[in-house]
Amino acid sequence: MNKSIAVAAFLTSALLPFSLLTQSPSLTIQPSLTIEVDHPTSKVSPTLYGLMTEEINYSYDGGIYGELVRDRTLGHEWDAIRLWPTVARGDSIVNVSADDSSGPSPALTRSLRVTVSKASESSPAGVENAGYWGIPVRPHIAYSGSFYAMTDSPGIPVTVTLQNDQTGVVAASAAVTGLTGEWKRFTYTLKTGDVPVSSNNHLILTIAKPATVWLNLVSLFPPTYHDRPGGNRADIMNLLAGMQPKFLRLPGGNYLEGEHIAERFDWKKTIGPWVDRPTHMSPWHYRSSDGMGLLEFLEWCEDLKMQPVLAVYAGYSLAQEHVDPGPALEPYVQDALDEIEYVTGSADTKWGAERAKDGHPAPFPLRYIEVGNEDQFDHSHSYDGRFAQFYRAIKQRHPDLQIIATAPVKSVAPDVLDEHFYMSAAQSFSEAHHYDAADRNGPKIFVGEWATREGDPTPNLEAALADAAWLTGLERNSDLVIMSSYAPLFVEVNPGGMQWAPDLIGYDALSSYGSPSYWTQVMFSTHLGTEVVPAALADAPPRVFTSVTRDDTTHKLFVKVVNATSTSQSVAISLTGVKKLAPQAKLTTMSGKTPNATNSITHPDAVVPITHTVSIAGPKFTRTFAPYSVNVLELSY
Ligand code: AHR
């Protein structure tokens, strides 16, 4: 019982006879919410809700990046060819090995050597790939494929097949001809017919005669979002679009830093044709294809109308490796300046011209640069000096850019400070007022990573309720907190797919779903408003939270009420300062029977918001909020 309830209960019991007290349920004290509609206190940050991503939990390769072939650059796994087993039909004989002496480019210097010593049309032999927990197949789809190859038997055709593991049915097949003794890129299309939807398929490459074929960059893409060649998975992009995110923090996270300096996100090695991208080890213990390179990140922003929040590598990697400020750091500062030019420079600048050559002549908008990631973990305490060096160089060339620090610094004043919060549900509830009394004279705040960590692989309803409570605090304080992004965003839900739990959106090869926490964010970000309105919640039990905003152009009032208790809460709502009020409002509610209720790949819609029209009697009315619920009441005034 909170203090006000306890006091009120004592006063009531002092005045009433005992029999009445014990009998009357109507003596429960009703929570009240008084909203001063005509006295907004501050602006809501229009960029409050955005996305943070990195290569973790198979977020890009095997996730949003549409590539269906796993280990397409071949042989970087521990035993080099684990993901490329042999295929030997009938009495054919084949041997596969990683060849370190021949690759298609200076960036990709090795390849898969497929040596077939016995094969025929009826007994072909070669290699296969299982994709990321299966290759999905759907009917009547044209899949776009490519690979690099050379052979010791010029003219030998390679047959590419998509075959179902269980039924053996071939969904599509194509013959690729023209192989020579030199490395060359080949393309193919696999068109499926009237086949059932399935995820348990392999991509198989075979030859029907004895020969040796060298392969690399074997690729297969389904149709992608906005039909971008080498683009993103449409279902996952659609989920993101539903969040109406305003920015994308890229490329990490720990993924920016790498375990070692040599494993940082070295952006120059992630642009241009795939064959020029050497790939790199991610700190989350698998190799990144770098198919999701800098330009792909920017196009992802373009597709969802988000602004990039570009994190530049700042000379610190996770294994406590750092670069001292001063001359040693200069090349890294220059890399960051070049990166900014690649993003924003016109096509007649050096790096703007590279971007144009890569297929995007128009510059991208850019306002925020983040210098590093979680640099408070750098035991050398070099961040102050490193940040100042980046800050001065960037501001000198780009005074309009807002520069984000990842840890407090003293030498220069950052425009924005990135703060991270990974919390239990209890912590998220108790931190809902974290910023209420925070200093308004320092930098603006970017909550660049946050999550309530309950549920696995994706958050449950308890986490979503706690997230909602936390978000009421960010929203109320969005004069200070200008941006926020949940982390991590994605998880491949199959065993072995996850390095960190929980994650906002789950998927397998075929489908994807939003967790209850995802839906909390959809509810908040699609009812943002432009101004914060004072709202006094009284006599409410613990685990009830609220924030109220209004939109000063559409005259909508958004009343968010989080009822994380196990009972319904009937709240007396009073709006002051409204001249007129529409008699009908929209109430969107997400709730469940228990805090452990959740969504999953097999039950993606168990906990989702539902919208009803409700009648509003006038500026004073009572609304009952379901147990374990997140609610947005949208009124027109
Ligand atoms: O979100 C997972 C990790 O948590 C991020 O990579 C890192 O920035 C943080 O420590």
Side-chain angles (χ1 to χ4, degrees):
M1 192 183 282
N2 75 17
K3 216 178 185 179
S4 55
I5 293 177
V7 172
F10 168 77
L11 289 176
T12 314
S13 63
L15 297 173
L16 291 174
F18 178 73
S19 58
L20 260 183
L21 270 177
T22 49
Q23 284 164 19
S24 171
S26 63
L27 286 175
T28 315
I29 291 172
Q30 186 178 33
S32 68
L33 179 62
T34 305
I35 302 167
E36 294 177 59
V37 182
D38 57 343
H39 282 119
T41 47
S42 56
K43 296 276 180 214
V44 173
S45 168
T47 54
L48 184 57
Y49 299 112
L51 306 176
M52 183 272 171
T53 65
E54 65 176 317
E55 184 56 282
I56 182 174
N57 306 319
Y58 296 88
S59 287
Y60 306 148
D61 292 347
I64 192 168
Y65 182 59
E67 177 65 81
L68 298 177
V69 177
R70 186 165 174 180
D71 194 21
R72 74 178 180 191
T73 46
L74 302 170
H76 286 288
E77 294 290 324
W78 58 273
D79 60 351
I81 52 172
R82 188 172 64 88
L83 298 169
W84 289 96
T86 54
V87 171
R89 304 291 188 231
D91 59 355
S92 62
I93 302 172
V94 57
N95 181 271
V96 170
S97 58
D99 186 344
D100 287 320
S101 66
S102 183
S105 69
L108 299 177
T109 54
R110 62 201 321 243
S111 56
L112 193 67
R113 182 175 42 213
V114 185
T115 305
V116 173
S117 47
K118 185 174 179 199
S120 64
E121 287 298 332
S122 59
S123 300
V127 285
E128 63 180 5
N129 188 280
Y132 295 93
W133 291 271
I135 293 188
V137 161
R138 292 185 168 83
H140 308 294
I141 297 281
Y143 295 82
S144 316
S146 60
F147 58 73
Y148 281 75
M150 66 172 202
T151 183
D152 66 354
S153 307
I156 189 159
V158 175
T159 302
V160 189
T161 307
L162 262 180
Q163 187 183 33
N164 186 286
D165 302 341
Q166 310 302 345
T167 63
V169 170
V170 170
S173 174
V176 177
T177 55
L179 272 68
T180 67
E182 303 292 320
W183 280 104
K184 245 175 77 183
R185 180 170 182 262
F186 299 88
T187 60
Y188 60 92
T189 303
L190 291 178
K191 279 198 184 121
T192 58
D194 207 5
V195 290
V197 174
S198 63
S199 66
N200 52 332
N201 299 277
H202 274 75
L203 182 74
I204 303 171
L205 289 88
T206 54
I207 53 178
K209 278 200 275 191
T212 296
V213 171
W214 286 260
L215 294 167
N216 205 325
L217 269 176
V218 182
S219 169
L220 185 69
F221 269 78
T224 58
Y225 191 77
H226 284 184
D227 287 327
R228 279 197 190 274
N232 290 340
R233 236 175 95 162
D235 59 332
I236 298 179
M237 286 291 274
N238 284 328
L239 278 170
L240 297 181
M243 296 171 73
Q244 298 183 6
K246 296 298 180 290
F247 65 86
L248 177 69
R249 175 176 175 237
L250 66 98
N254 291 161
Y255 184 58
L256 170 72
E257 307 162 273
E259 188 64 25
H260 303 285
I261 294 175
E263 292 174 354
R264 68 192 184 278
F265 184 82
D266 196 352
W267 73 271
K268 286 177 182 162
K269 295 181 176 162
T270 74
I271 56 171
W274 300 341
V275 75
D276 295 335
R277 305 184 192 187
T279 77
H280 78 287
M281 194 64 194
S282 105
W284 299 103
H285 317 299
Y286 57 93
R287 200 166 183 92
S288 170
S289 74
D290 287 326
M292 180 64 79
L294 180 57
L295 183 61
E296 286 79 9
F297 278 114
L298 296 168
E299 289 176 338
W300 175 3
C301 291
E302 191 166 72
D303 283 351
L304 294 186
K305 299 185 174 51
M306 309 179 284
Q307 54 173 307
V309 172
L310 182 66
V312 296
Y313 179 74
Y316 163 69
S317 294
L318 295 163
Q320 291 305 321
E321 294 173 11
H322 81 278
V323 182
D324 280 325
L329 194 63
E330 264 316 296
Y332 298 90
V333 174
Q334 189 55 50
D335 250 9
L337 293 172
D338 294 347
E339 189 170 8
I340 293 168
E341 188 172 286
Y342 184 89
V343 177
T344 64
S346 62
D348 54 14
T349 60
K350 178 177 176 212
W351 288 102
E354 281 297 319
R355 186 199 59 240
K357 198 168 92 195
D358 294 343
H360 203 288
F364 292 90
L366 183 67
R367 182 168 163 73
Y368 292 104
I369 295 289
E370 178 154 11
V371 178
N373 177 61
E374 294 190 339
D375 286 82
Q376 71 275 20
F377 293 125
D378 170 12
H379 297 170
S380 75
H381 305 297
S382 62
Y383 187 57
D384 211 326
R386 289 189 287 110
F387 179 80
Q389 198 168 333
F390 276 88
Y391 180 94
R392 290 188 184 114
I394 296 170
K395 280 281 184 190
Q396 195 191 2
R397 288 242 205 135
H398 307 279
D400 291 341
L401 286 178
Q402 297 288 291
I403 305 192
I404 305 171
T406 74
V409 285
K410 293 204 179 83
S411 334
V412 286
D415 300 303
V416 183
L417 180 64
D418 180 359
E419 299 193 325
H420 295 176
F421 298 84
Y422 288 105
M423 302 172 284
S424 65
Q427 286 169 325
S428 296
F429 288 128
S430 71
E431 291 296 315
H433 295 276
H434 183 88
Y435 287 109
D436 285 359
D439 178 16
R440 261 55 184 176
N441 298 313
K444 296 286 186 195
I445 301 294
F446 171 27
V447 180
E449 293 181 28
W450 70 271
T452 305
R453 299 190 69 180
E454 312 239 348
D456 181 348
T458 50
N460 59 19
L461 180 58
E462 173 79 345
L465 292 164
D467 286 352
W470 166 253
L471 288 182
T472 61
L474 299 194
E475 205 167 82
R476 270 196 319 276
N477 291 289
S478 73
D479 60 314
L480 174 67
V481 181
I482 56 167
M483 297 186 288
S484 68
S485 41
Y486 186 102
L489 185 63
F490 296 138
V491 63
E492 157 53 81
V493 299
N494 278 291
M498 183 177 72
Q499 289 88 48
W500 179 292
D503 307 287
L504 200 65
I505 290 171
Y507 44 78
D508 61 11
L510 270 180
S511 62
S512 51
Y513 69 97
S515 62
S517 288
Y518 162 85
W519 289 111
T520 287
Q521 288 206 50
V522 170
M523 290 173 71
F524 273 65
S525 65
T526 58
H527 299 95
L528 182 60
T530 56
E531 295 169 313
V532 176
V533 172
L537 182 66
D539 299 328
R543 291 177 55 114
V544 175
F545 301 85
T546 185
S547 78
V548 181
T549 59
R550 69 177 207 180
D551 187 313
D552 58 348
T553 52
T554 60
H555 295 271
K556 300 269 187 213
L557 186 73
F558 303 114
V559 181
K560 291 165 185 126
V561 177
V562 183
N563 175 16
T565 75
S566 58
T567 55
S568 300
Q569 296 297 327
S570 166
V571 180
I573 299 177
S574 167
L575 310 181
T576 66
V578 279
K579 294 202 180 75
K580 57 184 175 101
L581 195 61
Q584 306 228 292
K586 265 182 13 188
L587 176 64
T588 304
T589 298
M590 174 176 69
S591 64
K593 295 279 180 231
T594 82
N596 292 319
T598 200
N599 296 335
S600 64
I601 200 79
T602 46
H603 296 93
D605 300 325
V607 184
V608 291
I610 294 170
T611 301
H612 297 289
T613 301
V614 294
S615 297
I616 301 294
K620 288 185 192 301
F621 60 96
T622 295
R623 192 78 248 148
T624 299
F625 298 102
Y628 304 126
S629 66
V630 180
N631 307 273
V632 182
L633 185 59
E634 179 183 324
L635 301 121
S636 298
Y637 65 93

